[in-house]
Amino acid sequence: MYRILIVEDDRVIAKEIENRISSWGYEVKCVEDFQNVFVDFGSFDPHLVLMDISLPFYNGYHWCSEIRKVSKIPILFISSASDNMNIVMAINMGGDDFIAKPFDLEVLTAKIQALLRRSYDFTAHNNLLEHRGAVLNTNDTTLTYHSAKLDLTKNDYRILLTLMENKGKVISRETLMVKLWESDEYIDENTLTVNMTRLRRKLESIGLDDFITTKKGIGYIIE
């Protein structure tokens, strides 16, 4: 089932769109916190985004730009600002299509179906894991937080992937060592400690302080 994220601050319009495209079997989420759209994007991991231009706090161009830093998923702009300048701007900022308000829901549905078909018939969906605004892209092994992007080493990536896939659960040092070296052989625990220390420094360099918590004598957790 395809997931569609609606970034539209007019609740009446958002609800009409949600009801319409849900009837086609899509899973739909409407953003409610427009100051933290990227958090919903990361946690919902949509296949397509419907993006209004005029939004509280930051406009649709800003959020489109933020999404494009981590994902190539289709973004369909919906806006009453339908002059040529806004249409060109939307496409230049990374949008895939534009539909002007007021629009016919049949036309909107057809555009959504066309974008999904074009995007996913031949390509795989970007897999994203999100926590506290940080987005781990499992396709290119990068971590993005606000405007900063980290290129992760193999060990950085395996540590973060394991912890972010198990948010709220303590992961033992033994489990992480197996994930790092893909082996049941004994590995010096100091090596894991060194890797964890380096990773934490990288996370702190982009503002992610205390992202990974140590549970003394047990392991590590992302809370």
Side-chain angles (χ1 to χ4, degrees):
M1 178 187 295
Y2 288 119
R3 295 180 299 278
I4 298 176
L5 183 67
I6 300 174
V7 189
E8 166 62 71
D9 62 323
D10 186 316
R11 293 184 180 275
V12 173
I13 294 176
K15 192 63 179 177
E16 286 180 354
I17 296 173
E18 180 184 12
N19 291 339
R20 173 64 182 181
I21 58 183
S22 293
S23 70
W24 282 82
Y26 300 128
E27 184 178 351
V28 184
K29 179 178 178 63
C30 295
V31 168
E32 295 184 359
D33 182 359
F34 292 94
Q35 196 167 4
N36 295 291
V37 170
F38 203 57
V39 173
D40 278 341
F41 173 79
S43 60
F44 189 55
D45 190 18
H47 295 88
L48 181 145
V49 175
L50 293 179
M51 181 75 72
D52 192 10
I53 293 177
S54 299
L55 296 168
F57 302 105
Y58 305 98
N59 64 29
Y61 299 139
H62 168 82
W63 293 119
C64 181
S65 178
E66 290 298 298
I67 290 170
R68 280 292 170 258
K69 292 175 182 177
V70 301
S71 176
K72 296 180 180 179
I73 72 162
I75 298 174
L76 172 57
F77 275 95
I78 50 175
S79 178
S80 56
S82 58
D83 57 278
N84 289 340
M85 182 178 295
N86 277 291
I87 294 173
V88 171
M89 179 70 76
I91 302 303
N92 286 343
M93 291 299 292
D96 295 275
D97 204 346
F98 189 104
I99 185 168
K101 298 177 185 175
F103 47 76
D104 187 286
L105 288 174
E106 292 282 353
V107 175
L108 176 64
T109 303
K111 281 182 174 285
I112 290 171
Q113 291 173 330
L115 279 173
L116 289 172
R117 185 169 57 250
R118 190 162 67 233
S119 300
Y120 299 107
D121 277 355
F122 304 105
T123 60
H125 175 49
N126 283 347
N127 292 313
L128 306 174
L129 295 173
E130 185 276 338
H131 182 65
R132 281 174 46 187
V135 178
L136 179 67
N137 189 322
T138 63
N139 281 351
D140 64 7
T141 66
T142 60
L143 184 80
T144 303
Y145 181 64
H146 296 323
S147 59
K149 187 173 185 178
L150 287 178
D151 290 313
L152 303 171
T153 66
K154 178 181 69 176
N155 286 352
D156 292 340
Y157 172 71
R158 287 180 177 175
I159 291 171
L160 278 176
L161 178 65
T162 304
L163 293 174
M164 291 182 74
E165 283 182 332
N166 296 277
K167 288 185 293 186
K169 299 179 182 177
V170 178
I171 304 300
S172 69
R173 292 176 63 85
E174 292 75 16
T175 296
L176 282 176
M177 286 189 287
V178 170
K179 291 290 185 180
L180 287 181
W181 287 278
E182 307 259 340
S183 169
D184 291 327
E185 298 176 22
Y186 175 75
I187 301 294
D188 187 349
E189 289 200 12
N190 287 334
T191 309
L192 174 59
T193 300
V194 169
N195 277 271
M196 186 65 73
T197 300
R198 288 174 179 168
L199 174 57
R200 279 174 160 156
R201 286 174 181 166
K202 290 180 181 178
L203 295 174
E204 289 169 1
S205 73
I206 61 171
L208 286 169
D209 299 331
D210 302 320
F211 191 71
I212 300 171
T213 302
T214 300
K215 295 297 183 181
K216 194 171 182 179
I218 305 176
Y220 303 94
I221 185 173
I222 285 179
E223 300 179 283

